[in-house]
Amino acid sequence: MTQDQARVFVIDDEPDVREAMSMLIRSVGLQVETYGNALEFLNHYQLAWPGCIVADIRMPGMSGLELQEKLNAMGATIPLIFISGHADVPTAVRAIQDGAMDLLEKPFRDQLLLDKVQSAIRRDQERRTEAEALAQLHRLYDSLTPREKQVMAEVVSGKMNKVIASDLHLSTRTVELHRANLMEKLQVHSVAELVRLAQALEDNG
Amino acid sequence: MPASFYHKAVFDVFCDRASAELQRMQALRNLQQQERKYRLLVENQQELVAQLDRDGRFQFVSPSLCEFFQRDEASLLTDSFHDLIERAGQRPVRACWKSLDSPPHWAEFEHRVQTARGARWLSWSLKATVMQGVLQTVVAVGRDVTQRREAEEKAHRTLQELAHLSRVSSMGEMASAFAHEINQPLCAILTYAQASLRLLGNSTHESSEIRHAMERVAANAELAGNIIQQMRNFLRKGEPELTATDIQALLQDSITLARVELRDDDIEIQLQSEQPLPRVRINATQIEQVILNFLRNARDAMKAAGRAGQISIMAQRSAPGELKVSVLDQGPGIDPQLQSRMFEPFVTSKSAGIGIGLSICKSIIEAHGGRVSGFNHPEGGACFQLTLPLTE
């Protein structure tokens, strides 16, 4: 099993429930790891591991909700599916507000769990792909010189080269040169593309 | 003068006789007066009085006795006490009668009688006169104790109803915990079954995995059944029956039930008991209820004080013919202001409590012939104890 392959992390204090869920999820060809409590999982888990978590919301020691808080504090984005013997409304609301993807009441239909697990894995994959693209973007932007960043800001605000040159006290020729360089570094081919990229950077800090 | 001497002699004799006769008459009058007094006493009292010979045949019956059994004196005097009682109350008197032979030559029993006025309860005390080891006569005094018996029965029923009520209300508390507990095996069963069905659909399935799943299905179904059985036993209403019970197993069951409630509270329950413990004749459901109540109080006390930790249950023979069970918690202890009154009804330290738990515990244990007590342990925490008489 490679570390970057999606896995389903099953956390439940009941050995039989844990084992049965593991068997069910493995039956559709997914990789499963089981844990008897949330702490054991947290001590083992690394942020880079893709997949999703299926956890009982009510466990002795660290509860499902506490696990969720810890994961949020760690900056983990791995989707969390809660299962619960008796999902009372306040607990459910809190779980969803804190970003849990789903809440399933025990006993549940197998297809329902598998659907939720598969869509969680898909969402995790998408989020990781997006995050990777954004990180790549930041890397490209960070490769610009301060002057190129200044020129870029002027370009995306819709100014002509001449205006930029006078704003920055540069020659038009120099501005054109910076502009060509930054477009090449950022791997964009039009001002429209550059504007979209700037927007994406702004949206994600 | 002989004539006058003769006359004098006759006169003296006459006087002696007359005086003796007067004395006799006085004595008779005294006796009659005394008899009237006693008769007045016997005939006008509520108690049923009879004098019996050594075989239990009536020698004397009071009017109250005749009236009670609606028999006339003459017919009762041909009857025996044993037959009268056994016909009326189906209660064997003869065993009781036997005990009159030995000191203190005294016996007591109660029985039910069907009368024209409905069912009544009679309480008899018998006192025998014994001369040289041989039973001579027996005086039997019977008293109608129907009111007292009815009051006792009512109190007993109320206790049972209260006990049932408190079981039902703790059932409410436990219902969600039980639902959770039953849900676990059900969820495991369903998921194992669904996974197995899916594996059977795959061409490459391993039968050993499916076999294992089916074994777990069976085990979990049994577990769910046991949980339901426990709940049923706990809820069962009806006349409590005393049965010889393994107290060790009962404590273990109580702990299992309590753990269902304590699973979120970081509280461990530990059982230490002397081995082997004798069986005790108890109503297991009621005693279990008392133990659960103690455990629940211990949990509430520790939780209210925000403490995790351990509850210890100890069971041992504390005195000859006595078994003691103690429940010790690691909470803040008993409020000294409540200490003297905590077994009274409607006394509670809990904001949401109505304060009948410990009072029911007390009634239950006392009905078993035991005692309850609660005190602060020298090493901290509250300790609640109950004793039960051993009947070996």
Side-chain angles (χ1 to χ4, degrees), chain A residues 13-14 16-17 19-21 23-24 26-27 56 58 60 85-86 106-111 114, chain B residues 176 180 183-184 187-188 190-192 194-196 198-199 202 209-210 212-213 216 220 263-264:
Chain A
D13 59 308
E14 293 289 329
D16 271 316
V17 173
E19 199 188 325
M21 279 197 293
M23 194 173 157
L24 178 65
R26 279 186 285 114
S27 78
D56 193 345
R58 186 172 158 161
H86 45 143
K106 280 188 204 173
F108 42 77
R109 276 188 33 240
D110 55 344
Q111 196 57 54
L114 293 174
Chain B
S176 78
H180 182 80
N183 226 0
Q184 295 290 354
C187 181
L190 183 64
T191 312
Y192 273 128
Q194 289 167 336
S196 299
R198 281 177 184 276
L199 287 177
N202 296 353
E209 193 169 17
I210 294 173
H212 172 74
R216 296 314 302 158
N220 277 281
R263 51 179 279 134
D264 289 341

mmCIF file of all heavy atoms in Angstrom, chain A residues 13-14 16-17 19-21 23-24 26-27 56 58 60 85-86 106-111 114, chain B residues 176 180 183-184 187-188 190-192 194-196 198-199 202 209-210 212-213 216 220 263-264:
data_model
loop_
_atom_site.group_PDB
_atom_site.id
_atom_site.type_symbol
_atom_site.label_atom_id
_atom_site.label_comp_id
_atom_site.label_asym_id
_atom_site.label_seq_id
_atom_site.Cartn_x
_atom_site.Cartn_y
_atom_site.Cartn_z
ATOM 1 N N ASP A 13 -14.954 2.190 18.888
ATOM 2 C CA ASP A 13 -14.478 1.454 20.062
ATOM 3 C C ASP A 13 -15.031 0.029 20.120
ATOM 4 O O ASP A 13 -14.545 -0.783 20.893
ATOM 5 C CB ASP A 13 -14.826 2.202 21.361
ATOM 6 C CG ASP A 13 -16.314 2.419 21.518
ATOM 7 O OD1 ASP A 13 -16.933 2.938 20.562
ATOM 8 O OD2 ASP A 13 -16.864 2.069 22.576
ATOM 9 N N GLU A 14 -16.064 -0.263 19.319
ATOM 10 C CA GLU A 14 -16.629 -1.618 19.312
ATOM 11 C C GLU A 14 -15.896 -2.465 18.269
ATOM 12 O O GLU A 14 -16.019 -2.207 17.068
ATOM 13 C CB GLU A 14 -18.113 -1.577 18.949
ATOM 14 C CG GLU A 14 -18.975 -0.896 19.988
ATOM 15 C CD GLU A 14 -19.111 -1.718 21.264
ATOM 16 O OE1 GLU A 14 -19.071 -2.974 21.154
ATOM 17 O OE2 GLU A 14 -19.245 -1.127 22.336
ATOM 18 N N ASP A 16 -16.396 -5.332 16.954
ATOM 19 C CA ASP A 16 -17.199 -5.964 15.910
ATOM 20 C C ASP A 16 -17.694 -4.957 14.872
ATOM 21 O O ASP A 16 -17.684 -5.240 13.679
ATOM 22 C CB ASP A 16 -18.384 -6.714 16.527
ATOM 23 C CG ASP A 16 -18.018 -8.147 16.872
ATOM 24 O OD1 ASP A 16 -17.362 -8.797 16.033
ATOM 25 O OD2 ASP A 16 -18.368 -8.607 17.966
ATOM 26 N N VAL A 17 -18.120 -3.801 15.358
ATOM 27 C CA VAL A 17 -18.610 -2.776 14.430
ATOM 28 C C VAL A 17 -17.458 -2.342 13.512
ATOM 29 O O VAL A 17 -17.610 -2.211 12.304
ATOM 30 C CB VAL A 17 -19.177 -1.572 15.212
ATOM 31 C CG1 VAL A 17 -19.533 -0.433 14.275
ATOM 32 C CG2 VAL A 17 -20.391 -1.987 16.017
ATOM 33 N N GLU A 19 -14.731 -4.008 12.755
ATOM 34 C CA GLU A 19 -14.316 -5.081 11.849
ATOM 35 C C GLU A 19 -15.327 -5.265 10.714
ATOM 36 O O GLU A 19 -14.969 -5.443 9.550
ATOM 37 C CB GLU A 19 -14.201 -6.382 12.654
ATOM 38 C CG GLU A 19 -13.365 -7.432 11.975
ATOM 39 C CD GLU A 19 -13.466 -8.759 12.733
ATOM 40 O OE1 GLU A 19 -13.557 -8.723 13.983
ATOM 41 O OE2 GLU A 19 -13.460 -9.789 12.062
ATOM 42 N N ALA A 20 -16.632 -5.188 11.082
ATOM 43 C CA ALA A 20 -17.672 -5.376 10.072
ATOM 44 C C ALA A 20 -17.625 -4.248 9.052
ATOM 45 O O ALA A 20 -17.745 -4.486 7.841
ATOM 46 C CB ALA A 20 -19.040 -5.442 10.741
ATOM 47 N N MET A 21 -17.406 -3.021 9.529
ATOM 48 C CA MET A 21 -17.328 -1.896 8.595
ATOM 49 C C MET A 21 -16.116 -2.023 7.688
ATOM 50 O O MET A 21 -16.184 -1.742 6.497
ATOM 51 C CB MET A 21 -17.288 -0.572 9.365
ATOM 52 C CG MET A 21 -18.660 -0.131 9.811
ATOM 53 S SD MET A 21 -18.712 1.594 10.253
ATOM 54 C CE MET A 21 -17.693 1.612 11.691
ATOM 55 N N MET A 23 -14.753 -4.762 6.755
ATOM 56 C CA MET A 23 -15.036 -5.828 5.787
ATOM 57 C C MET A 23 -15.923 -5.287 4.658
ATOM 58 O O MET A 23 -15.691 -5.554 3.474
ATOM 59 C CB MET A 23 -15.750 -6.948 6.538
ATOM 60 C CG MET A 23 -15.820 -8.242 5.813
ATOM 61 S SD MET A 23 -16.508 -9.477 6.963
ATOM 62 C CE MET A 23 -17.136 -10.635 5.761
ATOM 63 N N LEU A 24 -16.916 -4.502 5.049
ATOM 64 C CA LEU A 24 -17.848 -3.940 4.069
ATOM 65 C C LEU A 24 -17.120 -3.013 3.099
ATOM 66 O O LEU A 24 -17.281 -3.102 1.880
ATOM 67 C CB LEU A 24 -18.953 -3.176 4.813
ATOM 68 C CG LEU A 24 -19.987 -2.493 3.937
ATOM 69 C CD1 LEU A 24 -20.794 -3.521 3.159
ATOM 70 C CD2 LEU A 24 -20.912 -1.629 4.781
ATOM 71 N N ARG A 26 -13.927 -2.849 2.471
ATOM 72 C CA ARG A 26 -12.939 -3.586 1.663
ATOM 73 C C ARG A 26 -13.616 -4.344 0.525
ATOM 74 O O ARG A 26 -13.014 -4.587 -0.510
ATOM 75 C CB ARG A 26 -12.143 -4.555 2.544
ATOM 76 C CG ARG A 26 -11.011 -3.863 3.290
ATOM 77 C CD ARG A 26 -10.136 -4.847 4.057
ATOM 78 N NE ARG A 26 -10.781 -5.332 5.271
ATOM 79 C CZ ARG A 26 -11.160 -6.588 5.458
ATOM 80 N NH1 ARG A 26 -10.942 -7.499 4.512
ATOM 81 N NH2 ARG A 26 -11.748 -6.929 6.579
ATOM 82 N N SER A 27 -14.912 -4.709 0.729
ATOM 83 C CA SER A 27 -15.597 -5.506 -0.296
ATOM 84 C C SER A 27 -15.758 -4.731 -1.598
ATOM 85 O O SER A 27 -15.996 -5.318 -2.637
ATOM 86 C CB SER A 27 -16.967 -5.978 0.224
ATOM 87 O OG SER A 27 -17.905 -4.921 0.160
ATOM 88 N N ASP A 56 -17.089 6.734 14.973
ATOM 89 C CA ASP A 56 -18.235 6.770 15.883
ATOM 90 C C ASP A 56 -18.187 8.115 16.607
ATOM 91 O O ASP A 56 -17.124 8.564 17.023
ATOM 92 C CB ASP A 56 -18.114 5.618 16.908
ATOM 93 C CG ASP A 56 -19.415 5.407 17.667
ATOM 94 O OD1 ASP A 56 -20.282 6.296 17.623
ATOM 95 O OD2 ASP A 56 -19.554 4.341 18.293
ATOM 96 N N ARG A 58 -19.659 8.792 19.408
ATOM 97 C CA ARG A 58 -19.683 8.603 20.863
ATOM 98 C C ARG A 58 -18.710 7.490 21.229
ATOM 99 O O ARG A 58 -18.968 6.321 21.013
ATOM 100 C CB ARG A 58 -21.107 8.211 21.254
ATOM 101 C CG ARG A 58 -21.318 8.117 22.730
ATOM 102 C CD ARG A 58 -22.775 7.929 23.022
ATOM 103 N NE ARG A 58 -22.934 7.329 24.329
ATOM 104 C CZ ARG A 58 -24.047 7.356 25.030
ATOM 105 N NH1 ARG A 58 -25.115 7.897 24.544
ATOM 106 N NH2 ARG A 58 -24.102 6.810 26.207
ATOM 107 N N PRO A 60 -15.610 6.295 24.276
ATOM 108 C CA PRO A 60 -14.963 6.638 25.541
ATOM 109 C C PRO A 60 -13.598 7.257 25.246
ATOM 110 O O PRO A 60 -13.031 7.018 24.183
ATOM 111 C CB PRO A 60 -14.814 5.295 26.250
ATOM 112 C CG PRO A 60 -15.033 4.251 25.225
ATOM 113 C CD PRO A 60 -15.719 4.864 24.050
ATOM 114 N N GLY A 85 -24.913 5.926 17.222
ATOM 115 C CA GLY A 85 -25.969 5.038 17.690
ATOM 116 C C GLY A 85 -27.257 5.806 17.845
ATOM 117 O O GLY A 85 -28.322 5.327 17.526
ATOM 118 N N HIS A 86 -27.149 7.000 18.348
ATOM 119 C CA HIS A 86 -28.352 7.824 18.538
ATOM 120 C C HIS A 86 -27.933 9.264 18.354
ATOM 121 O O HIS A 86 -27.430 9.903 19.262
ATOM 122 C CB HIS A 86 -28.998 7.596 19.905
ATOM 123 C CG HIS A 86 -28.022 7.571 21.025
ATOM 124 N ND1 HIS A 86 -28.268 8.087 22.252
ATOM 125 C CD2 HIS A 86 -26.756 7.108 21.073
ATOM 126 C CE1 HIS A 86 -27.211 7.925 23.018
ATOM 127 N NE2 HIS A 86 -26.282 7.337 22.327
ATOM 128 N N LYS A 106 -26.648 4.553 13.134
ATOM 129 C CA LYS A 106 -26.528 3.098 13.203
ATOM 130 C C LYS A 106 -27.886 2.500 13.516
ATOM 131 O O LYS A 106 -28.576 3.051 14.370
ATOM 132 C CB LYS A 106 -25.592 2.711 14.359
ATOM 133 C CG LYS A 106 -24.139 2.819 14.094
ATOM 134 C CD LYS A 106 -23.436 2.193 15.289
ATOM 135 C CE LYS A 106 -22.019 2.717 15.446
ATOM 136 N NZ LYS A 106 -21.395 2.236 16.676
ATOM 137 N N PRO A 107 -28.283 1.379 13.017
ATOM 138 C CA PRO A 107 -27.573 0.697 11.919
ATOM 139 C C PRO A 107 -27.946 1.343 10.590
ATOM 140 O O PRO A 107 -29.039 1.843 10.445
ATOM 141 C CB PRO A 107 -28.112 -0.730 12.005
ATOM 142 C CG PRO A 107 -29.379 -0.652 12.789
ATOM 143 C CD PRO A 107 -29.428 0.642 13.510
ATOM 144 N N PHE A 108 -27.005 1.292 9.645
ATOM 145 C CA PHE A 108 -27.211 2.019 8.391
ATOM 146 C C PHE A 108 -27.221 1.026 7.232
ATOM 147 O O PHE A 108 -26.770 -0.107 7.370
ATOM 148 C CB PHE A 108 -26.080 3.022 8.188
ATOM 149 C CG PHE A 108 -24.739 2.453 8.548
ATOM 150 C CD1 PHE A 108 -24.080 1.571 7.701
ATOM 151 C CD2 PHE A 108 -24.164 2.755 9.776
ATOM 152 C CE1 PHE A 108 -22.859 1.032 8.055
ATOM 153 C CE2 PHE A 108 -22.934 2.199 10.141
ATOM 154 C CZ PHE A 108 -22.289 1.341 9.276
ATOM 155 N N ARG A 109 -27.754 1.474 6.097
ATOM 156 C CA ARG A 109 -27.723 0.612 4.904
ATOM 157 C C ARG A 109 -26.324 0.627 4.322
ATOM 158 O O ARG A 109 -25.682 1.681 4.260
ATOM 159 C CB ARG A 109 -28.747 1.078 3.887
ATOM 160 C CG ARG A 109 -30.141 0.519 4.165
ATOM 161 C CD ARG A 109 -31.092 0.854 3.025
ATOM 162 N NE ARG A 109 -30.420 0.888 1.729
ATOM 163 C CZ ARG A 109 -30.378 1.974 0.944
ATOM 164 N NH1 ARG A 109 -30.967 3.079 1.312
ATOM 165 N NH2 ARG A 109 -29.746 1.937 -0.213
ATOM 166 N N ASP A 110 -25.844 -0.518 3.916
ATOM 167 C CA ASP A 110 -24.469 -0.617 3.432
ATOM 168 C C ASP A 110 -24.195 0.331 2.273
ATOM 169 O O ASP A 110 -23.183 1.008 2.221
ATOM 170 C CB ASP A 110 -24.131 -2.065 3.053
ATOM 171 C CG ASP A 110 -25.105 -2.650 2.035
ATOM 172 O OD1 ASP A 110 -26.197 -2.085 1.843
ATOM 173 O OD2 ASP A 110 -24.769 -3.696 1.444
ATOM 174 N N GLN A 111 -25.179 0.417 1.339
ATOM 175 C CA GLN A 111 -24.962 1.233 0.149
ATOM 176 C C GLN A 111 -24.796 2.701 0.531
ATOM 177 O O GLN A 111 -23.987 3.419 -0.044
ATOM 178 C CB GLN A 111 -26.145 1.057 -0.826
ATOM 179 C CG GLN A 111 -25.844 1.546 -2.233
ATOM 180 C CD GLN A 111 -24.621 0.857 -2.825
ATOM 181 O OE1 GLN A 111 -24.537 -0.361 -2.878
ATOM 182 N NE2 GLN A 111 -23.629 1.645 -3.222
ATOM 183 N N LEU A 114 -21.323 3.210 1.808
ATOM 184 C CA LEU A 114 -20.332 3.114 0.723
ATOM 185 C C LEU A 114 -20.418 4.347 -0.181
ATOM 186 O O LEU A 114 -19.386 4.886 -0.599
ATOM 187 C CB LEU A 114 -20.552 1.830 -0.079
ATOM 188 C CG LEU A 114 -20.256 0.563 0.729
ATOM 189 C CD1 LEU A 114 -20.623 -0.685 -0.068
ATOM 190 C CD2 LEU A 114 -18.788 0.510 1.141
ATOM 191 N N SER B 176 -32.028 5.224 26.768
ATOM 192 C CA SER B 176 -31.179 5.636 25.653
ATOM 193 C C SER B 176 -29.863 4.871 25.693
ATOM 194 O O SER B 176 -29.323 4.488 24.654
ATOM 195 C CB SER B 176 -30.948 7.145 25.682
ATOM 196 O OG SER B 176 -29.985 7.469 26.642
ATOM 197 N N HIS B 180 -28.533 2.350 22.787
ATOM 198 C CA HIS B 180 -27.183 2.400 22.239
ATOM 199 C C HIS B 180 -26.529 1.020 22.322
ATOM 200 O O HIS B 180 -25.947 0.545 21.361
ATOM 201 C CB HIS B 180 -26.360 3.419 23.025
ATOM 202 C CG HIS B 180 -24.971 3.598 22.515
ATOM 203 N ND1 HIS B 180 -24.684 4.375 21.425
ATOM 204 C CD2 HIS B 180 -23.796 3.074 22.920
ATOM 205 C CE1 HIS B 180 -23.387 4.322 21.184
ATOM 206 N NE2 HIS B 180 -22.822 3.551 22.087
ATOM 207 N N ASN B 183 -27.981 -1.318 19.902
ATOM 208 C CA ASN B 183 -27.659 -0.883 18.551
ATOM 209 C C ASN B 183 -26.290 -1.380 18.098
ATOM 210 O O ASN B 183 -26.091 -1.668 16.926
ATOM 211 C CB ASN B 183 -27.683 0.643 18.506
ATOM 212 C CG ASN B 183 -28.451 1.138 17.307
ATOM 213 O OD1 ASN B 183 -28.958 0.349 16.507
ATOM 214 N ND2 ASN B 183 -28.537 2.434 17.172
ATOM 215 N N GLN B 184 -25.371 -1.486 19.068
ATOM 216 C CA GLN B 184 -24.016 -1.920 18.709
ATOM 217 C C GLN B 184 -24.033 -3.304 18.059
ATOM 218 O O GLN B 184 -23.586 -3.446 16.931
ATOM 219 C CB GLN B 184 -23.091 -1.907 19.927
ATOM 220 C CG GLN B 184 -22.840 -0.533 20.501
ATOM 221 C CD GLN B 184 -21.994 0.351 19.607
ATOM 222 O OE1 GLN B 184 -21.484 -0.080 18.595
ATOM 223 N NE2 GLN B 184 -21.885 1.614 19.971
ATOM 224 N N CYS B 187 -25.916 -3.273 14.722
ATOM 225 C CA CYS B 187 -25.158 -2.642 13.648
ATOM 226 C C CYS B 187 -24.089 -3.602 13.141
ATOM 227 O O CYS B 187 -23.876 -3.737 11.937
ATOM 228 C CB CYS B 187 -24.528 -1.362 14.176
ATOM 229 S SG CYS B 187 -23.599 -0.470 12.958
ATOM 230 N N ALA B 188 -23.438 -4.287 14.087
ATOM 231 C CA ALA B 188 -22.403 -5.246 13.690
ATOM 232 C C ALA B 188 -23.021 -6.369 12.859
ATOM 233 O O ALA B 188 -22.483 -6.749 11.809
ATOM 234 C CB ALA B 188 -21.709 -5.799 14.925
ATOM 235 N N LEU B 190 -25.831 -6.390 11.070
ATOM 236 C CA LEU B 190 -26.266 -5.905 9.760
ATOM 237 C C LEU B 190 -25.065 -5.705 8.838
ATOM 238 O O LEU B 190 -25.072 -6.139 7.682
ATOM 239 C CB LEU B 190 -27.037 -4.593 9.945
ATOM 240 C CG LEU B 190 -27.629 -3.994 8.683
ATOM 241 C CD1 LEU B 190 -28.692 -4.918 8.111
ATOM 242 C CD2 LEU B 190 -28.231 -2.619 8.973
ATOM 243 N N THR B 191 -24.032 -5.078 9.373
ATOM 244 C CA THR B 191 -22.890 -4.762 8.523
ATOM 245 C C THR B 191 -22.138 -6.025 8.099
ATOM 246 O O THR B 191 -21.742 -6.158 6.938
ATOM 247 C CB THR B 191 -21.952 -3.779 9.255
ATOM 248 O OG1 THR B 191 -22.741 -2.723 9.788
ATOM 249 C CG2 THR B 191 -20.928 -3.206 8.310
ATOM 250 N N TYR B 192 -21.965 -6.955 9.055
ATOM 251 C CA TYR B 192 -21.331 -8.233 8.692
ATOM 252 C C TYR B 192 -22.139 -8.929 7.591
ATOM 253 O O TYR B 192 -21.582 -9.467 6.628
ATOM 254 C CB TYR B 192 -21.276 -9.174 9.904
ATOM 255 C CG TYR B 192 -20.051 -9.006 10.787
ATOM 256 C CD1 TYR B 192 -20.190 -8.825 12.157
ATOM 257 C CD2 TYR B 192 -18.772 -9.071 10.251
ATOM 258 C CE1 TYR B 192 -19.083 -8.694 12.983
ATOM 259 C CE2 TYR B 192 -17.655 -8.932 11.078
ATOM 260 C CZ TYR B 192 -17.817 -8.744 12.433
ATOM 261 O OH TYR B 192 -16.721 -8.620 13.229
ATOM 262 N N GLN B 194 -24.273 -7.635 5.415
ATOM 263 C CA GLN B 194 -24.200 -6.915 4.137
ATOM 264 C C GLN B 194 -22.841 -7.114 3.463
ATOM 265 O O GLN B 194 -22.758 -7.336 2.247
ATOM 266 C CB GLN B 194 -24.455 -5.421 4.377
ATOM 267 C CG GLN B 194 -25.906 -5.147 4.725
ATOM 268 C CD GLN B 194 -26.110 -3.741 5.266
ATOM 269 O OE1 GLN B 194 -25.196 -3.123 5.794
ATOM 270 N NE2 GLN B 194 -27.329 -3.242 5.132
ATOM 271 N N ALA B 195 -21.786 -7.055 4.277
ATOM 272 C CA ALA B 195 -20.448 -7.254 3.713
ATOM 273 C C ALA B 195 -20.337 -8.664 3.134
ATOM 274 O O ALA B 195 -19.779 -8.864 2.045
ATOM 275 C CB ALA B 195 -19.396 -7.023 4.789
ATOM 276 N N SER B 196 -20.903 -9.651 3.862
ATOM 277 C CA SER B 196 -20.829 -11.037 3.384
ATOM 278 C C SER B 196 -21.561 -11.187 2.062
ATOM 279 O O SER B 196 -21.081 -11.861 1.141
ATOM 280 C CB SER B 196 -21.452 -11.983 4.419
ATOM 281 O OG SER B 196 -20.730 -11.891 5.616
ATOM 282 N N ARG B 198 -22.054 -8.960 -0.178
ATOM 283 C CA ARG B 198 -21.238 -8.349 -1.222
ATOM 284 C C ARG B 198 -20.077 -9.258 -1.608
ATOM 285 O O ARG B 198 -19.782 -9.430 -2.774
ATOM 286 C CB ARG B 198 -20.684 -7.006 -0.741
ATOM 287 C CG ARG B 198 -21.703 -5.927 -0.819
ATOM 288 C CD ARG B 198 -21.195 -4.619 -0.290
ATOM 289 N NE ARG B 198 -22.291 -3.678 -0.319
ATOM 290 C CZ ARG B 198 -22.627 -2.977 -1.411
ATOM 291 N NH1 ARG B 198 -21.907 -3.086 -2.519
ATOM 292 N NH2 ARG B 198 -23.665 -2.167 -1.389
ATOM 293 N N LEU B 199 -19.425 -9.833 -0.586
ATOM 294 C CA LEU B 199 -18.286 -10.709 -0.870
ATOM 295 C C LEU B 199 -18.743 -11.927 -1.674
ATOM 296 O O LEU B 199 -18.047 -12.379 -2.569
ATOM 297 C CB LEU B 199 -17.611 -11.144 0.426
ATOM 298 C CG LEU B 199 -16.792 -10.050 1.123
ATOM 299 C CD1 LEU B 199 -16.223 -10.561 2.438
ATOM 300 C CD2 LEU B 199 -15.667 -9.563 0.219
ATOM 301 N N ASN B 202 -18.789 -11.213 -5.202
ATOM 302 C CA ASN B 202 -17.479 -11.171 -5.885
ATOM 303 C C ASN B 202 -17.052 -12.589 -6.236
ATOM 304 O O ASN B 202 -17.273 -13.506 -5.455
ATOM 305 C CB ASN B 202 -16.412 -10.563 -4.960
ATOM 306 C CG ASN B 202 -16.706 -9.105 -4.605
ATOM 307 O OD1 ASN B 202 -17.630 -8.518 -5.161
ATOM 308 N ND2 ASN B 202 -15.941 -8.569 -3.688
ATOM 309 N N GLU B 209 -13.381 -15.801 5.310
ATOM 310 C CA GLU B 209 -13.753 -14.472 5.796
ATOM 311 C C GLU B 209 -15.263 -14.418 6.076
ATOM 312 O O GLU B 209 -15.704 -13.851 7.070
ATOM 313 C CB GLU B 209 -13.362 -13.411 4.773
ATOM 314 C CG GLU B 209 -13.439 -12.025 5.376
ATOM 315 C CD GLU B 209 -12.811 -10.942 4.507
ATOM 316 O OE1 GLU B 209 -12.596 -11.205 3.307
ATOM 317 O OE2 GLU B 209 -12.582 -9.847 5.039
ATOM 318 N N ILE B 210 -16.023 -15.040 5.168
ATOM 319 C CA ILE B 210 -17.479 -15.053 5.339
ATOM 320 C C ILE B 210 -17.859 -15.909 6.543
ATOM 321 O O ILE B 210 -18.726 -15.552 7.336
ATOM 322 C CB ILE B 210 -18.172 -15.525 4.051
ATOM 323 C CG1 ILE B 210 -17.930 -14.475 2.973
ATOM 324 C CG2 ILE B 210 -19.664 -15.743 4.271
ATOM 325 C CD1 ILE B 210 -18.389 -14.861 1.604
ATOM 326 N N HIS B 212 -16.066 -16.351 9.190
ATOM 327 C CA HIS B 212 -15.765 -15.549 10.373
ATOM 328 C C HIS B 212 -16.873 -14.526 10.614
ATOM 329 O O HIS B 212 -17.333 -14.343 11.750
ATOM 330 C CB HIS B 212 -14.428 -14.827 10.197
ATOM 331 C CG HIS B 212 -14.134 -13.831 11.272
ATOM 332 N ND1 HIS B 212 -13.769 -14.193 12.539
ATOM 333 C CD2 HIS B 212 -14.220 -12.467 11.276
ATOM 334 C CE1 HIS B 212 -13.613 -13.109 13.277
ATOM 335 N NE2 HIS B 212 -13.889 -12.043 12.540
ATOM 336 N N ALA B 213 -17.316 -13.872 9.544
ATOM 337 C CA ALA B 213 -18.367 -12.865 9.684
ATOM 338 C C ALA B 213 -19.626 -13.489 10.274
ATOM 339 O O ALA B 213 -20.262 -12.920 11.167
ATOM 340 C CB ALA B 213 -18.675 -12.218 8.334
ATOM 341 N N ARG B 216 -19.381 -14.074 13.927
ATOM 342 C CA ARG B 216 -19.561 -12.828 14.677
ATOM 343 C C ARG B 216 -21.028 -12.406 14.692
ATOM 344 O O ARG B 216 -21.518 -11.817 15.649
ATOM 345 C CB ARG B 216 -18.686 -11.688 14.109
ATOM 346 C CG ARG B 216 -17.181 -11.914 14.205
ATOM 347 C CD ARG B 216 -16.727 -12.412 15.561
ATOM 348 N NE ARG B 216 -17.089 -11.508 16.639
ATOM 349 C CZ ARG B 216 -17.190 -11.862 17.906
ATOM 350 N NH1 ARG B 216 -16.952 -13.107 18.275
ATOM 351 N NH2 ARG B 216 -17.527 -10.986 18.818
ATOM 352 N N ASN B 220 -23.050 -11.760 18.111
ATOM 353 C CA ASN B 220 -23.677 -10.460 18.381
ATOM 354 C C ASN B 220 -25.181 -10.575 18.580
ATOM 355 O O ASN B 220 -25.765 -9.823 19.359
ATOM 356 C CB ASN B 220 -23.359 -9.465 17.263
ATOM 357 C CG ASN B 220 -22.013 -8.818 17.453
ATOM 358 O OD1 ASN B 220 -21.867 -7.906 18.248
ATOM 359 N ND2 ASN B 220 -21.002 -9.332 16.763
ATOM 360 N N ARG B 263 -20.510 4.660 30.551
ATOM 361 C CA ARG B 263 -19.499 4.527 29.499
ATOM 362 C C ARG B 263 -18.931 5.874 29.064
ATOM 363 O O ARG B 263 -17.815 5.941 28.571
ATOM 364 C CB ARG B 263 -20.011 3.728 28.307
ATOM 365 C CG ARG B 263 -21.319 4.198 27.752
ATOM 366 C CD ARG B 263 -21.737 3.357 26.564
ATOM 367 N NE ARG B 263 -21.044 3.816 25.366
ATOM 368 C CZ ARG B 263 -20.472 3.015 24.507
ATOM 369 N NH1 ARG B 263 -20.459 1.738 24.692
ATOM 370 N NH2 ARG B 263 -19.880 3.505 23.430
ATOM 371 N N ASP B 264 -19.682 6.955 29.255
ATOM 372 C CA ASP B 264 -19.166 8.260 28.841
ATOM 373 C C ASP B 264 -18.489 9.021 29.969
ATOM 374 O O ASP B 264 -18.032 10.117 29.778
ATOM 375 C CB ASP B 264 -20.309 9.129 28.312
ATOM 376 C CG ASP B 264 -20.812 8.622 26.980
ATOM 377 O OD1 ASP B 264 -20.058 7.867 26.329
ATOM 378 O OD2 ASP B 264 -21.924 8.965 26.611
#
